[in-house]
Amino acid sequence: MFSILGLLLWTMGTTADVLDELVVQPFWVSVYFEDLCRTSGMLFTSYGLFKTMRFVQSIHNRLACELIIDDLTKVHNRRYFYRHVRSAEVTPYVILIIDIDHFKSINDEFGHDVGDIILKQLANKYNDIFVDNAQFARLGGEEFGGYLPTSKMLQVIDFCQHLIDLAHSINVKNVRHLTVSIGVAKQTPNGPLDKVMKRADQALYVAKQTGRDRFEIASN
């Protein structure tokens, strides 16, 4: 709006200036009107362009955020997780795949709105403990990913048990406590991320098949 008004005033000032060369105009038009319209037009146009650039920048920032942040849980998404791990300098590292146990039954019994609340609660609790260069993200559905820049498996074991205990602190409608299963895989020397993820996913499957509410470490 400011740009349109500015351009209109600027055009009026320029038009008056051109007419001044062609016809005799009142003194106040040639002395005051031209300069006033031209100057105010420049100011309004400049301010309008400034506002437009601020708006475009805000849209750009929002779109950039939406590309890397999960809309529901507000933690990083799968795209960012893969990009972060692939650019990580620490090697070998450890990948965790965390899956909420019996999540479909939670949605079926209590409704998808309760399921969404559970996802957000768990994501917030977990995201707070992935500190320093560690990374946490929602991979999709009720599945989350974790990246730990370490090869010390004793620390990883303690961390996984902490994740399981944190899940227990979430109460599902005062009926039962939440549980998760975790698949753990350590990167082999120069092993690509896709293979590490596959091994972690296989370990998750074993954890699910052997009772849930536990973690399983993939063999090298």
Side-chain angles (χ1 to χ4, degrees):
M1 180 178 178
F2 286 101
S3 296
I4 295 174
L5 177 60
L7 289 173
L8 178 61
L9 291 171
W10 201 340
T11 302
M12 289 172 62
T14 303
T15 302
D17 186 35
V18 171
L19 289 175
D20 196 36
E21 301 296 327
L22 301 176
V23 298
V24 177
Q25 300 185 96
F27 178 76
W28 63 271
V29 172
S30 58
V31 174
Y32 301 108
F33 183 78
E34 294 175 14
D35 292 339
L36 179 62
C37 286
R38 191 159 40 233
T39 302
S40 59
M42 290 178 182
L43 291 175
F44 276 108
T45 302
S46 298
Y47 183 69
L49 290 174
F50 171 76
K51 294 278 287 184
T52 300
M53 287 188 291
R54 286 283 299 272
F55 176 73
V56 171
Q57 183 63 45
S58 68
I59 294 296
H60 175 269
N61 292 340
R62 189 180 71 184
L63 291 176
C65 182
E66 289 177 352
L67 286 175
I68 63 172
I69 298 296
D70 177 63
D71 186 56
L72 176 65
T73 62
K74 305 307 179 186
V75 299
H76 284 118
N77 60 18
R78 184 187 190 95
R79 177 198 298 268
Y80 179 87
F81 182 77
Y82 273 73
R83 188 175 69 187
H84 177 87
V85 178
R86 285 189 172 120
S87 64
E89 297 179 355
V90 176
T91 184
Y93 54 78
V94 171
I95 290 295
L96 313 177
I97 298 182
I98 308 156
D99 190 85
I100 298 176
D101 295 328
H102 303 295
F103 187 71
K104 183 178 183 302
S105 68
I106 293 176
N107 281 333
D108 292 343
E109 186 175 350
F110 304 108
H112 287 273
D113 55 336
V114 173
D116 288 348
I117 291 172
I118 295 299
L119 286 171
K120 289 187 281 189
Q121 287 179 340
L122 187 70
N124 288 334
K125 286 178 179 290
Y126 281 3
N127 198 50
D128 287 342
I129 65 171
F130 279 81
V131 296
D132 298 328
N133 290 323
Q135 185 60 53
F136 174 75
R138 185 185 182 196
L139 301 181
E142 69 273 23
E143 193 170 85
F144 299 90
Y147 158 80
L148 300 177
T150 182
S151 59
K152 299 178 180 178
M153 294 309 293
L154 288 178
Q155 291 181 0
V156 174
I157 289 171
D158 289 340
F159 189 79
C160 288
Q161 187 57 54
H162 185 40
L163 292 175
I164 290 173
D165 293 340
L166 272 179
H168 293 168
S169 69
I170 297 176
N171 194 302
V172 184
K173 298 294 286 186
N174 296 317
V175 174
R176 64 176 182 263
H177 295 290
L178 194 70
T179 66
V180 298
S181 298
I182 305 173
V184 184
K186 178 181 174 182
Q187 181 200 28
T188 56
N190 299 317
L193 174 60
D194 290 342
K195 288 189 176 181
V196 186
M197 294 292 294
K198 183 177 181 179
R199 290 172 50 239
D201 190 56
Q202 291 170 342
L204 173 65
Y205 177 80
V206 174
K208 290 281 189 182
Q209 293 299 307
T210 53
R212 294 183 172 85
D213 193 22
R214 59 186 300 274
F215 63 88
E216 182 72 26
I217 301 175
S219 57
N220 291 329

PDB file of all heavy atoms in Angstrom, residues 68-81 103 115-116 119-120 123 127 135-146:
ATOM      1  N   ILE A  68      12.580 -28.087   8.034  1.00  0.00           N
ATOM      2  CA  ILE A  68      13.408 -28.871   8.946  1.00  0.00           C
ATOM      3  C   ILE A  68      12.725 -29.181  10.277  1.00  0.00           C
ATOM      4  O   ILE A  68      13.266 -29.934  11.079  1.00  0.00           O
ATOM      5  CB  ILE A  68      14.751 -28.163   9.236  1.00  0.00           C
ATOM      6  CG1 ILE A  68      14.529 -26.829   9.941  1.00  0.00           C
ATOM      7  CG2 ILE A  68      15.548 -27.970   7.952  1.00  0.00           C
ATOM      8  CD1 ILE A  68      15.809 -26.163  10.423  1.00  0.00           C
ATOM      9  N   ILE A  69      11.535 -28.613  10.527  1.00  0.00           N
ATOM     10  CA  ILE A  69      10.844 -28.812  11.800  1.00  0.00           C
ATOM     11  C   ILE A  69       9.558 -29.601  11.578  1.00  0.00           C
ATOM     12  O   ILE A  69       8.778 -29.300  10.681  1.00  0.00           O
ATOM     13  CB  ILE A  69      10.523 -27.454  12.472  1.00  0.00           C
ATOM     14  CG1 ILE A  69      11.813 -26.690  12.783  1.00  0.00           C
ATOM     15  CG2 ILE A  69       9.709 -27.663  13.747  1.00  0.00           C
ATOM     16  CD1 ILE A  69      12.717 -27.366  13.776  1.00  0.00           C
ATOM     17  N   ASP A  70       9.346 -30.605  12.430  1.00  0.00           N
ATOM     18  CA  ASP A  70       8.112 -31.381  12.370  1.00  0.00           C
ATOM     19  C   ASP A  70       6.951 -30.521  12.845  1.00  0.00           C
ATOM     20  O   ASP A  70       7.021 -29.886  13.901  1.00  0.00           O
ATOM     21  CB  ASP A  70       8.247 -32.626  13.253  1.00  0.00           C
ATOM     22  CG  ASP A  70       6.971 -33.445  13.298  1.00  0.00           C
ATOM     23  OD1 ASP A  70       6.561 -33.938  12.245  1.00  0.00           O
ATOM     24  OD2 ASP A  70       6.382 -33.557  14.393  1.00  0.00           O
ATOM     25  N   ASP A  71       5.879 -30.509  12.082  1.00  0.00           N
ATOM     26  CA  ASP A  71       4.766 -29.600  12.348  1.00  0.00           C
ATOM     27  C   ASP A  71       4.071 -29.900  13.674  1.00  0.00           C
ATOM     28  O   ASP A  71       3.657 -28.981  14.382  1.00  0.00           O
ATOM     29  CB  ASP A  71       3.752 -29.677  11.200  1.00  0.00           C
ATOM     30  CG  ASP A  71       2.636 -28.660  11.349  1.00  0.00           C
ATOM     31  OD1 ASP A  71       2.943 -27.463  11.450  1.00  0.00           O
ATOM     32  OD2 ASP A  71       1.457 -29.065  11.376  1.00  0.00           O
ATOM     33  N   LEU A  72       3.937 -31.169  14.034  1.00  0.00           N
ATOM     34  CA  LEU A  72       3.203 -31.533  15.250  1.00  0.00           C
ATOM     35  C   LEU A  72       4.039 -31.375  16.503  1.00  0.00           C
ATOM     36  O   LEU A  72       3.638 -30.699  17.457  1.00  0.00           O
ATOM     37  CB  LEU A  72       2.694 -32.975  15.144  1.00  0.00           C
ATOM     38  CG  LEU A  72       1.999 -33.526  16.390  1.00  0.00           C
ATOM     39  CD1 LEU A  72       0.703 -32.764  16.673  1.00  0.00           C
ATOM     40  CD2 LEU A  72       1.715 -35.023  16.228  1.00  0.00           C
ATOM     41  N   THR A  73       5.206 -31.983  16.531  1.00  0.00           N
ATOM     42  CA  THR A  73       6.003 -32.042  17.761  1.00  0.00           C
ATOM     43  C   THR A  73       6.959 -30.866  17.931  1.00  0.00           C
ATOM     44  O   THR A  73       7.479 -30.651  19.026  1.00  0.00           O
ATOM     45  CB  THR A  73       6.817 -33.342  17.795  1.00  0.00           C
ATOM     46  OG1 THR A  73       7.722 -33.357  16.669  1.00  0.00           O
ATOM     47  CG2 THR A  73       5.904 -34.559  17.721  1.00  0.00           C
ATOM     48  N   LYS A  74       7.224 -30.146  16.852  1.00  0.00           N
ATOM     49  CA  LYS A  74       8.125 -28.993  16.852  1.00  0.00           C
ATOM     50  C   LYS A  74       9.583 -29.376  17.119  1.00  0.00           C
ATOM     51  O   LYS A  74      10.393 -28.518  17.510  1.00  0.00           O
ATOM     52  CB  LYS A  74       7.680 -27.931  17.882  1.00  0.00           C
ATOM     53  CG  LYS A  74       6.242 -27.467  17.712  1.00  0.00           C
ATOM     54  CD  LYS A  74       5.943 -26.992  16.318  1.00  0.00           C
ATOM     55  CE  LYS A  74       4.492 -26.560  16.159  1.00  0.00           C
ATOM     56  NZ  LYS A  74       4.156 -26.218  14.754  1.00  0.00           N
ATOM     57  N   VAL A  75       9.922 -30.642  16.933  1.00  0.00           N
ATOM     58  CA  VAL A  75      11.331 -31.044  16.953  1.00  0.00           C
ATOM     59  C   VAL A  75      11.776 -31.187  15.504  1.00  0.00           C
ATOM     60  O   VAL A  75      10.983 -31.066  14.574  1.00  0.00           O
ATOM     61  CB  VAL A  75      11.538 -32.363  17.727  1.00  0.00           C
ATOM     62  CG1 VAL A  75      11.100 -32.207  19.181  1.00  0.00           C
ATOM     63  CG2 VAL A  75      10.809 -33.524  17.065  1.00  0.00           C
ATOM     64  N   HIS A  76      13.052 -31.439  15.287  1.00  0.00           N
ATOM     65  CA  HIS A  76      13.541 -31.577  13.921  1.00  0.00           C
ATOM     66  C   HIS A  76      12.894 -32.775  13.229  1.00  0.00           C
ATOM     67  O   HIS A  76      12.492 -33.745  13.880  1.00  0.00           O
ATOM     68  CB  HIS A  76      15.065 -31.718  13.919  1.00  0.00           C
ATOM     69  CG  HIS A  76      15.776 -30.427  14.168  1.00  0.00           C
ATOM     70  ND1 HIS A  76      16.588 -30.210  15.253  1.00  0.00           N
ATOM     71  CD2 HIS A  76      15.779 -29.266  13.471  1.00  0.00           C
ATOM     72  CE1 HIS A  76      17.067 -28.980  15.208  1.00  0.00           C
ATOM     73  NE2 HIS A  76      16.587 -28.379  14.144  1.00  0.00           N
ATOM     74  N   ASN A  77      12.837 -32.689  11.906  1.00  0.00           N
ATOM     75  CA  ASN A  77      12.209 -33.759  11.135  1.00  0.00           C
ATOM     76  C   ASN A  77      13.254 -34.671  10.500  1.00  0.00           C
ATOM     77  O   ASN A  77      14.465 -34.501  10.680  1.00  0.00           O
ATOM     78  CB  ASN A  77      11.263 -33.184  10.080  1.00  0.00           C
ATOM     79  CG  ASN A  77      11.991 -32.270   9.090  1.00  0.00           C
ATOM     80  OD1 ASN A  77      13.211 -32.305   8.962  1.00  0.00           O
ATOM     81  ND2 ASN A  77      11.237 -31.458   8.378  1.00  0.00           N
ATOM     82  N   ARG A  78      12.764 -35.650   9.751  1.00  0.00           N
ATOM     83  CA  ARG A  78      13.630 -36.653   9.125  1.00  0.00           C
ATOM     84  C   ARG A  78      14.645 -36.015   8.184  1.00  0.00           C
ATOM     85  O   ARG A  78      15.817 -36.403   8.162  1.00  0.00           O
ATOM     86  CB  ARG A  78      12.746 -37.651   8.366  1.00  0.00           C
ATOM     87  CG  ARG A  78      13.497 -38.818   7.743  1.00  0.00           C
ATOM     88  CD  ARG A  78      12.560 -39.644   6.875  1.00  0.00           C
ATOM     89  NE  ARG A  78      13.176 -40.890   6.464  1.00  0.00           N
ATOM     90  CZ  ARG A  78      13.026 -42.042   7.089  1.00  0.00           C
ATOM     91  NH1 ARG A  78      12.261 -42.108   8.163  1.00  0.00           N
ATOM     92  NH2 ARG A  78      13.616 -43.138   6.657  1.00  0.00           N
ATOM     93  N   ARG A  79      14.190 -35.047   7.395  1.00  0.00           N
ATOM     94  CA  ARG A  79      15.081 -34.377   6.437  1.00  0.00           C
ATOM     95  C   ARG A  79      16.292 -33.780   7.151  1.00  0.00           C
ATOM     96  O   ARG A  79      17.430 -33.985   6.741  1.00  0.00           O
ATOM     97  CB  ARG A  79      14.311 -33.277   5.698  1.00  0.00           C
ATOM     98  CG  ARG A  79      15.169 -32.463   4.720  1.00  0.00           C
ATOM     99  CD  ARG A  79      14.459 -31.158   4.383  1.00  0.00           C
ATOM    100  NE  ARG A  79      13.192 -31.396   3.726  1.00  0.00           N
ATOM    101  CZ  ARG A  79      13.037 -31.461   2.412  1.00  0.00           C
ATOM    102  NH1 ARG A  79      14.072 -31.288   1.620  1.00  0.00           N
ATOM    103  NH2 ARG A  79      11.856 -31.663   1.893  1.00  0.00           N
ATOM    104  N   TYR A  80      16.025 -33.024   8.229  1.00  0.00           N
ATOM    105  CA  TYR A  80      17.125 -32.389   8.962  1.00  0.00           C
ATOM    106  C   TYR A  80      18.018 -33.437   9.614  1.00  0.00           C
ATOM    107  O   TYR A  80      19.246 -33.289   9.637  1.00  0.00           O
ATOM    108  CB  TYR A  80      16.568 -31.436  10.019  1.00  0.00           C
ATOM    109  CG  TYR A  80      17.665 -30.757  10.824  1.00  0.00           C
ATOM    110  CD1 TYR A  80      18.251 -29.580  10.365  1.00  0.00           C
ATOM    111  CD2 TYR A  80      18.117 -31.303  12.019  1.00  0.00           C
ATOM    112  CE1 TYR A  80      19.261 -28.968  11.075  1.00  0.00           C
ATOM    113  CE2 TYR A  80      19.127 -30.701  12.735  1.00  0.00           C
ATOM    114  CZ  TYR A  80      19.695 -29.532  12.269  1.00  0.00           C
ATOM    115  OH  TYR A  80      20.711 -28.942  12.977  1.00  0.00           O
ATOM    116  N   PHE A  81      17.418 -34.489  10.168  1.00  0.00           N
ATOM    117  CA  PHE A  81      18.185 -35.524  10.866  1.00  0.00           C
ATOM    118  C   PHE A  81      19.214 -36.155   9.932  1.00  0.00           C
ATOM    119  O   PHE A  81      20.403 -36.268  10.271  1.00  0.00           O
ATOM    120  CB  PHE A  81      17.224 -36.585  11.405  1.00  0.00           C
ATOM    121  CG  PHE A  81      17.894 -37.671  12.191  1.00  0.00           C
ATOM    122  CD1 PHE A  81      18.305 -37.454  13.495  1.00  0.00           C
ATOM    123  CD2 PHE A  81      18.103 -38.921  11.623  1.00  0.00           C
ATOM    124  CE1 PHE A  81      18.921 -38.459  14.227  1.00  0.00           C
ATOM    125  CE2 PHE A  81      18.721 -39.941  12.344  1.00  0.00           C
ATOM    126  CZ  PHE A  81      19.126 -39.698  13.654  1.00  0.00           C
ATOM    127  N   PHE A 103       1.233 -47.944  19.916  1.00  0.00           N
ATOM    128  CA  PHE A 103       0.705 -46.601  19.677  1.00  0.00           C
ATOM    129  C   PHE A 103      -0.650 -46.654  18.967  1.00  0.00           C
ATOM    130  O   PHE A 103      -1.527 -45.827  19.228  1.00  0.00           O
ATOM    131  CB  PHE A 103       1.700 -45.777  18.858  1.00  0.00           C
ATOM    132  CG  PHE A 103       1.303 -44.337  18.705  1.00  0.00           C
ATOM    133  CD1 PHE A 103       1.352 -43.470  19.779  1.00  0.00           C
ATOM    134  CD2 PHE A 103       0.858 -43.847  17.481  1.00  0.00           C
ATOM    135  CE1 PHE A 103       0.977 -42.141  19.649  1.00  0.00           C
ATOM    136  CE2 PHE A 103       0.482 -42.521  17.346  1.00  0.00           C
ATOM    137  CZ  PHE A 103       0.549 -41.669  18.431  1.00  0.00           C
ATOM    138  N   GLY A 115      -3.367 -39.309  21.158  1.00  0.00           N
ATOM    139  CA  GLY A 115      -2.127 -39.778  20.537  1.00  0.00           C
ATOM    140  C   GLY A 115      -1.199 -38.629  20.183  1.00  0.00           C
ATOM    141  O   GLY A 115       0.022 -38.712  20.392  1.00  0.00           O
ATOM    142  N   ASP A 116      -1.766 -37.540  19.667  1.00  0.00           N
ATOM    143  CA  ASP A 116      -0.945 -36.369  19.336  1.00  0.00           C
ATOM    144  C   ASP A 116      -0.313 -35.760  20.585  1.00  0.00           C
ATOM    145  O   ASP A 116       0.848 -35.330  20.570  1.00  0.00           O
ATOM    146  CB  ASP A 116      -1.799 -35.314  18.628  1.00  0.00           C
ATOM    147  CG  ASP A 116      -2.166 -35.710  17.205  1.00  0.00           C
ATOM    148  OD1 ASP A 116      -1.570 -36.678  16.694  1.00  0.00           O
ATOM    149  OD2 ASP A 116      -3.044 -35.054  16.623  1.00  0.00           O
ATOM    150  N   LEU A 119       2.634 -37.891  21.598  1.00  0.00           N
ATOM    151  CA  LEU A 119       3.775 -37.639  20.718  1.00  0.00           C
ATOM    152  C   LEU A 119       4.502 -36.358  21.114  1.00  0.00           C
ATOM    153  O   LEU A 119       5.739 -36.328  21.174  1.00  0.00           O
ATOM    154  CB  LEU A 119       3.311 -37.545  19.266  1.00  0.00           C
ATOM    155  CG  LEU A 119       2.918 -38.851  18.574  1.00  0.00           C
ATOM    156  CD1 LEU A 119       2.278 -38.560  17.228  1.00  0.00           C
ATOM    157  CD2 LEU A 119       4.124 -39.764  18.392  1.00  0.00           C
ATOM    158  N   LYS A 120       3.752 -35.319  21.390  1.00  0.00           N
ATOM    159  CA  LYS A 120       4.356 -34.034  21.749  1.00  0.00           C
ATOM    160  C   LYS A 120       5.055 -34.102  23.102  1.00  0.00           C
ATOM    161  O   LYS A 120       6.148 -33.552  23.274  1.00  0.00           O
ATOM    162  CB  LYS A 120       3.294 -32.927  21.731  1.00  0.00           C
ATOM    163  CG  LYS A 120       2.830 -32.567  20.328  1.00  0.00           C
ATOM    164  CD  LYS A 120       1.919 -31.359  20.307  1.00  0.00           C
ATOM    165  CE  LYS A 120       0.517 -31.696  20.717  1.00  0.00           C
ATOM    166  NZ  LYS A 120      -0.418 -30.570  20.500  1.00  0.00           N
ATOM    167  N   ALA A 123       8.266 -36.196  22.682  1.00  0.00           N
ATOM    168  CA  ALA A 123       9.254 -35.458  21.884  1.00  0.00           C
ATOM    169  C   ALA A 123       9.900 -34.353  22.703  1.00  0.00           C
ATOM    170  O   ALA A 123      11.119 -34.145  22.636  1.00  0.00           O
ATOM    171  CB  ALA A 123       8.587 -34.882  20.634  1.00  0.00           C
ATOM    172  N   ASN A 127      13.810 -34.406  23.469  1.00  0.00           N
ATOM    173  CA  ASN A 127      14.589 -33.351  22.820  1.00  0.00           C
ATOM    174  C   ASN A 127      15.456 -32.583  23.819  1.00  0.00           C
ATOM    175  O   ASN A 127      16.544 -32.123  23.481  1.00  0.00           O
ATOM    176  CB  ASN A 127      13.645 -32.387  22.099  1.00  0.00           C
ATOM    177  CG  ASN A 127      14.359 -31.534  21.072  1.00  0.00           C
ATOM    178  OD1 ASN A 127      15.095 -32.033  20.225  1.00  0.00           O
ATOM    179  ND2 ASN A 127      14.133 -30.232  21.132  1.00  0.00           N
ATOM    180  N   GLN A 135      21.656 -35.353  18.405  1.00  0.00           N
ATOM    181  CA  GLN A 135      20.514 -34.852  17.645  1.00  0.00           C
ATOM    182  C   GLN A 135      19.325 -35.787  17.786  1.00  0.00           C
ATOM    183  O   GLN A 135      19.478 -37.011  17.760  1.00  0.00           O
ATOM    184  CB  GLN A 135      20.893 -34.728  16.164  1.00  0.00           C
ATOM    185  CG  GLN A 135      19.837 -34.123  15.294  1.00  0.00           C
ATOM    186  CD  GLN A 135      19.472 -32.721  15.721  1.00  0.00           C
ATOM    187  OE1 GLN A 135      20.347 -31.878  15.857  1.00  0.00           O
ATOM    188  NE2 GLN A 135      18.206 -32.467  15.948  1.00  0.00           N
ATOM    189  N   PHE A 136      18.147 -35.165  17.933  1.00  0.00           N
ATOM    190  CA  PHE A 136      16.899 -35.917  18.060  1.00  0.00           C
ATOM    191  C   PHE A 136      15.922 -35.403  17.013  1.00  0.00           C
ATOM    192  O   PHE A 136      15.880 -34.207  16.717  1.00  0.00           O
ATOM    193  CB  PHE A 136      16.328 -35.726  19.466  1.00  0.00           C
ATOM    194  CG  PHE A 136      14.969 -36.341  19.668  1.00  0.00           C
ATOM    195  CD1 PHE A 136      14.834 -37.713  19.802  1.00  0.00           C
ATOM    196  CD2 PHE A 136      13.830 -35.550  19.725  1.00  0.00           C
ATOM    197  CE1 PHE A 136      13.582 -38.291  19.979  1.00  0.00           C
ATOM    198  CE2 PHE A 136      12.577 -36.113  19.907  1.00  0.00           C
ATOM    199  CZ  PHE A 136      12.454 -37.490  20.043  1.00  0.00           C
ATOM    200  N   ALA A 137      15.119 -36.322  16.449  1.00  0.00           N
ATOM    201  CA  ALA A 137      14.175 -35.915  15.406  1.00  0.00           C
ATOM    202  C   ALA A 137      13.022 -36.899  15.340  1.00  0.00           C
ATOM    203  O   ALA A 137      13.129 -38.057  15.758  1.00  0.00           O
ATOM    204  CB  ALA A 137      14.870 -35.833  14.048  1.00  0.00           C
ATOM    205  N   ARG A 138      11.921 -36.433  14.805  1.00  0.00           N
ATOM    206  CA  ARG A 138      10.801 -37.322  14.499  1.00  0.00           C
ATOM    207  C   ARG A 138      10.980 -37.833  13.080  1.00  0.00           C
ATOM    208  O   ARG A 138      11.035 -37.053  12.128  1.00  0.00           O
ATOM    209  CB  ARG A 138       9.468 -36.577  14.634  1.00  0.00           C
ATOM    210  CG  ARG A 138       8.255 -37.498  14.439  1.00  0.00           C
ATOM    211  CD  ARG A 138       6.959 -36.724  14.449  1.00  0.00           C
ATOM    212  NE  ARG A 138       5.799 -37.613  14.314  1.00  0.00           N
ATOM    213  CZ  ARG A 138       4.582 -37.197  13.997  1.00  0.00           C
ATOM    214  NH1 ARG A 138       4.355 -35.904  13.795  1.00  0.00           N
ATOM    215  NH2 ARG A 138       3.586 -38.059  13.883  1.00  0.00           N
ATOM    216  N   LEU A 139      11.047 -39.140  12.938  1.00  0.00           N
ATOM    217  CA  LEU A 139      11.249 -39.737  11.626  1.00  0.00           C
ATOM    218  C   LEU A 139       9.935 -39.927  10.889  1.00  0.00           C
ATOM    219  O   LEU A 139       9.904 -39.973   9.660  1.00  0.00           O
ATOM    220  CB  LEU A 139      11.965 -41.086  11.768  1.00  0.00           C
ATOM    221  CG  LEU A 139      13.345 -41.049  12.450  1.00  0.00           C
ATOM    222  CD1 LEU A 139      13.949 -42.440  12.503  1.00  0.00           C
ATOM    223  CD2 LEU A 139      14.277 -40.072  11.748  1.00  0.00           C
ATOM    224  N   GLY A 140       8.852 -40.033  11.646  1.00  0.00           N
ATOM    225  CA  GLY A 140       7.542 -40.222  11.043  1.00  0.00           C
ATOM    226  C   GLY A 140       6.655 -41.070  11.932  1.00  0.00           C
ATOM    227  O   GLY A 140       7.140 -41.976  12.618  1.00  0.00           O
ATOM    228  N   GLY A 141       5.359 -40.755  11.952  1.00  0.00           N
ATOM    229  CA  GLY A 141       4.446 -41.514  12.794  1.00  0.00           C
ATOM    230  C   GLY A 141       4.856 -41.467  14.251  1.00  0.00           C
ATOM    231  O   GLY A 141       5.110 -40.394  14.808  1.00  0.00           O
ATOM    232  N   GLU A 142       4.949 -42.652  14.870  1.00  0.00           N
ATOM    233  CA  GLU A 142       5.359 -42.730  16.281  1.00  0.00           C
ATOM    234  C   GLU A 142       6.831 -43.102  16.414  1.00  0.00           C
ATOM    235  O   GLU A 142       7.281 -43.543  17.470  1.00  0.00           O
ATOM    236  CB  GLU A 142       4.502 -43.754  17.024  1.00  0.00           C
ATOM    237  CG  GLU A 142       4.718 -45.204  16.638  1.00  0.00           C
ATOM    238  CD  GLU A 142       3.878 -45.658  15.461  1.00  0.00           C
ATOM    239  OE1 GLU A 142       3.447 -44.804  14.660  1.00  0.00           O
ATOM    240  OE2 GLU A 142       3.651 -46.873  15.340  1.00  0.00           O
ATOM    241  N   GLU A 143       7.604 -42.893  15.351  1.00  0.00           N
ATOM    242  CA  GLU A 143       9.015 -43.283  15.333  1.00  0.00           C
ATOM    243  C   GLU A 143       9.919 -42.048  15.375  1.00  0.00           C
ATOM    244  O   GLU A 143       9.719 -41.077  14.646  1.00  0.00           O
ATOM    245  CB  GLU A 143       9.310 -44.106  14.079  1.00  0.00           C
ATOM    246  CG  GLU A 143      10.635 -44.824  14.110  1.00  0.00           C
ATOM    247  CD  GLU A 143      10.768 -45.805  12.964  1.00  0.00           C
ATOM    248  OE1 GLU A 143      11.169 -45.376  11.856  1.00  0.00           O
ATOM    249  OE2 GLU A 143      10.449 -47.002  13.155  1.00  0.00           O
ATOM    250  N   PHE A 144      10.930 -42.137  16.234  1.00  0.00           N
ATOM    251  CA  PHE A 144      11.884 -41.043  16.405  1.00  0.00           C
ATOM    252  C   PHE A 144      13.301 -41.560  16.181  1.00  0.00           C
ATOM    253  O   PHE A 144      13.569 -42.758  16.322  1.00  0.00           O
ATOM    254  CB  PHE A 144      11.776 -40.437  17.804  1.00  0.00           C
ATOM    255  CG  PHE A 144      10.428 -39.840  18.106  1.00  0.00           C
ATOM    256  CD1 PHE A 144       9.421 -40.610  18.672  1.00  0.00           C
ATOM    257  CD2 PHE A 144      10.160 -38.514  17.821  1.00  0.00           C
ATOM    258  CE1 PHE A 144       8.176 -40.068  18.952  1.00  0.00           C
ATOM    259  CE2 PHE A 144       8.919 -37.960  18.091  1.00  0.00           C
ATOM    260  CZ  PHE A 144       7.926 -38.746  18.664  1.00  0.00           C
ATOM    261  N   GLY A 145      14.186 -40.642  15.849  1.00  0.00           N
ATOM    262  CA  GLY A 145      15.587 -40.991  15.639  1.00  0.00           C
ATOM    263  C   GLY A 145      16.495 -40.214  16.563  1.00  0.00           C
ATOM    264  O   GLY A 145      16.201 -39.073  16.929  1.00  0.00           O
ATOM    265  N   GLY A 146      17.597 -40.849  16.940  1.00  0.00           N
ATOM    266  CA  GLY A 146      18.589 -40.179  17.766  1.00  0.00           C
ATOM    267  C   GLY A 146      19.984 -40.409  17.217  1.00  0.00           C
ATOM    268  O   GLY A 146      20.298 -41.500  16.731  1.00  0.00           O
TER     269      GLY A 146
END
